[in-house]
Amino acid sequence: MRRWNGWGEESVLYPLPPSAKDYLETQIGAGLSLPDASLEETLASVPDSRLPDHALISNLSMDRLLHARGQSLPDWIALRSGRIGQFPDGVAYPICKDNLKTLLDFSRQTGTRLIPYGGGTSVVGHINPLPGTAPILTVDLSRMNHLVELDETSHLATFEAGISGPDIEMLLQGKGFTLGHYPQSFEYSTLGGWVATRSSGQQSYHYGRIENLFAGGVLETFLGELEMPVHPASAAGPDLKQVILGSEGRFGILTQATVRIQRLPETETFQAAFFHDWETGSDAVREIAQAGVPVSMLRLSNALETDTTLALSGKDALVLLARRALGWIQYDDQRCLLIFGLTGSRSLVRYAYRQAARIIRTHGGLPTGTLIGRMWRKSRFLSPYLRNTLWEQGYALDTLETALPWSGIPHCAHEVLTSLRNGLAESGESVLAFAHLSHVYKDGAGLYVTYLYRRAEDPDETLRRWWILKSAASQVILQRHGTISHQHGVGYDHAGYLASEKGAPGMDILTTLRDLLDPQGLLNPGKLLPDEY
Ligand SMILES: Cc1cc2nc3c(=O)[nH]c(=O)nc-3n(C[C@H](O)[C@H](O)[C@H](O)COP(=O)(O)OP(=O)(O)OC[C@H]3O[C@@H](n4cnc5c(N)ncnc54)[C@H](O)[C@@H]3O)c2cc1C
């Protein structure tokens, strides 16, 4: 069963070895292990529903609690403390387009606000109901999860939008295909959610981001059904798919999507290499991308992330050995770990490896084979479970991300990390902050930052600390002209920053579209575009 107040399945644990606890204590101090609110207590806080009875709507407290919050750190603080704030008044689980049309009519007639909901894995407050006088209905699309059509000739697959990552891959791989879209939230996130947030998978370098994979679809709107036909390419004016990608449930509800798929690769491997420092590693990664070497993933950790990953891996003996061996050959405390993927035919993988390894060596890097890559692959969807363990041991963990041209990355990375590390100095708290280049392009890269700090006894203080850190880092990102999000989207937490990226005309275009498609302001208000709330 899925955890109601944390990440993942209840049966999956990620225990921390004592050495990892010691590492964290040295870095930021001992965590305070504090009790969480119980499920019973939290259910008891669900207020009466403001919605009339309706055949398609559940007003059960459990349904409403399970759809009240996503996976951001503020969401965790709310769920773990039982201080949820606003609940949806009901949850609908449509199974077809007709159900959705009924729900849109219901919303229009009763002034009920609708929140489209995929897997609820948003980390920026996308699906949270906000306070207000109008009733709120969450529309959970998880029962619209079928394969509609597989066009093997054209390598196109059409799915209902509520289908989850594992179900997509199960259906496609059974026929010898893959979509290859693997965000770390793969276990639960859905096709509709990926499109609505412009998601990026771990191997998007090879398979493409969702905007490259999304070939067409159907959006149910208050104006009627918007069909986005599938063409390999088109010069018929602006591409409406680009308007729907990233629309975060504000313009309509995506009911089905056609995606570009590929034959399953003949082989795939993940390799590791160490660099003496972040600068040489970044240079190598940039050169690999700009030379067009056909790798499938490039993920370069900075020195602190490399060290922390080793410390938290739980493989103490192996880590000790690796640290010693690397130290002897002068890959010492500034060493940085690169994991790179190779996907395709055997000959392509051999070719790509040779090219990548040559560039890595030119920059003083040391390819170390597949052992670390295999460990990474095994835990690629497991590492979010670590957040449960850390929370229970008294530590709050959050991530933030941006993307910018290569020339801007060193300064931006340095300043974001400094702003986080010094962010809680006024309360005498230390912050452990580290980064990796997560997605690499010819002209720049995505920078992914993880930070940990100690939870306070009072959940409001834990939230205040988050707010200070998030604001400081976001300001730096904007000052350095990074995007406010490379992959997580805007949601509620980034809505206030959007205008400085889009500019006044850009915001006017988006709000005019919203007003056209949703004149009563009923679809996911307060998200993406800040509006009167
Ligand atoms: C542990 C973890 C790891 C993550 N890793 C990644 C990653 O590697 N890459 C990445 O891109 N993101 C990642 N995320 C963020 C998140 O998973 C993505 O934003 C994902 O695309 C959300 O999908 P979802 O189905 O859960 O959508 P939800 O969270 O349910 O909804 C997100 C937004 O999409 C809208 N929406 C959902 N379905 C529809 C629909 N059918 N029609 C219209 N609007 C809809 C919602 O209204 C909401 O605004 C991660 C999150 C977690 C918790």
Side-chain angles (χ1 to χ4, degrees), residues 175-195:
K175 305 265 184 196
F177 288 96
T178 179
L179 176 61
H181 191 71
Y182 294 113
Q184 207 183 32
S185 56
F186 176 75
E187 246 180 291
Y188 303 109
S189 54
T190 64
L191 180 54
W194 298 341
V195 172

Side-chain angles (χ1 to χ4, degrees), residues 192-504:
W194 298 341
V195 172
T197 60
R198 298 185 77 96
S199 155
S200 191
Q202 290 168 339
Q203 286 161 273
S204 288
Y205 188 82
H206 174 71
Y207 291 105
R209 284 167 60 93
I210 199 68
E211 59 261 36
N212 312 112
L213 300 171
F214 178 53
V218 180
L219 189 79
E220 210 57 60
T221 78
F222 283 116
L223 289 187
E225 204 170 84
L226 172 69
E227 270 201 55
M228 293 162 278
V230 176
H231 300 119
S234 166
D239 185 352
L240 289 177
K241 294 195 297 297
Q242 290 299 330
V243 176
I244 300 314
L245 281 154
S247 58
E248 304 193 349
R250 299 284 334 233
F251 296 164
I253 302 184
L254 193 71
T255 56
Q256 91 182 26
T258 301
V259 283
R260 302 186 170 100
I261 56 174
Q262 297 192 17
R263 285 265 172 225
L264 275 170
E266 193 183 346
T267 185
E268 180 162 80
T269 156
F270 293 93
Q271 304 266 342
F274 281 94
F275 290 91
H276 290 292
D277 52 41
W278 168 259
E279 288 71 28
T280 50
S282 302
D283 287 347
V285 162
R286 175 165 50 83
E287 197 175 321
I288 291 171
Q290 290 177 342
V293 178
V295 292
S296 57
M297 186 189 90
L298 289 159
R299 185 189 196 278
L300 177 73
S301 297
N302 75 355
L304 190 54
E305 183 169 287
T306 303
D307 205 36
T308 306
T309 308
L310 295 177
L312 302 189
S313 71
K315 309 247 180 299
D316 286 2
L318 194 67
V319 167
L320 189 67
L321 200 69
R323 280 190 176 134
R324 273 203 196 132
L326 288 164
W328 283 330
I329 50 175
Q330 267 89 54
Y331 291 86
D332 37 38
D333 53 355
Q334 286 308 303
R335 67 186 155 243
C336 291
L337 172 66
L338 169 69
I339 297 183
F340 60 107
L342 302 155
T343 303
S345 67
R346 287 182 207 291
S347 56
L348 183 88
V349 162
R350 267 198 306 275
Y351 167 78
Y353 177 76
R354 276 201 303 273
Q355 297 299 311
R358 182 182 56 74
I359 295 174
I360 288 167
R361 289 197 187 94
T362 312
H363 291 274
L366 176 74
T368 59
T370 55
L371 177 66
I372 296 177
R374 272 187 277 135
M375 283 162 56
W376 174 84
R377 176 187 221 156
K378 217 168 128 193
S379 66
R380 66 191 290 189
F381 305 124
L382 191 64
S383 31
Y385 285 84
L386 178 60
R387 204 179 184 193
N388 298 321
T389 316
L390 290 170
W391 179 272
E392 278 138 30
Q393 301 203 352
Y395 299 103
L397 179 149
D398 196 21
T399 61
L400 51 87
E401 33 88 55
T402 180
L404 65 170
W406 283 110
S407 52
I409 285 178
H411 278 112
C412 184
H414 174 73
E415 286 175 22
V416 169
L417 291 171
T418 307
S419 73
L420 290 169
R421 286 175 191 151
N422 300 334
L424 299 181
E426 45 92 34
S427 44
E429 290 294 321
S430 303
V431 179
L432 177 64
F434 44 82
H436 65 263
L437 296 183
S438 60
H439 294 83
V440 171
Y441 306 89
K442 283 189 162 59
D443 55 341
L447 179 70
Y448 193 94
V449 176
T450 303
Y451 58 99
L452 284 103
Y453 62 93
R454 294 198 304 170
R455 288 167 55 201
E457 244 169 281
D458 178 359
D460 287 342
E461 172 59 15
T462 307
L463 184 62
R464 192 185 73 89
R465 290 179 187 173
W466 170 82
W467 191 86
I468 292 172
L469 296 172
K470 176 80 176 175
S471 312
S474 301
Q475 289 302 340
V476 172
I477 287 172
L478 292 188
Q479 280 155 18
R480 285 282 162 198
H481 307 294
T483 174
I484 197 61
S485 176
H486 166 267
Q487 66 203 59
H488 289 162
V490 180
Y492 179 74
D493 296 347
H494 294 154
Y497 300 105
L498 193 67
S500 61
E501 192 163 329
K502 301 289 183 208

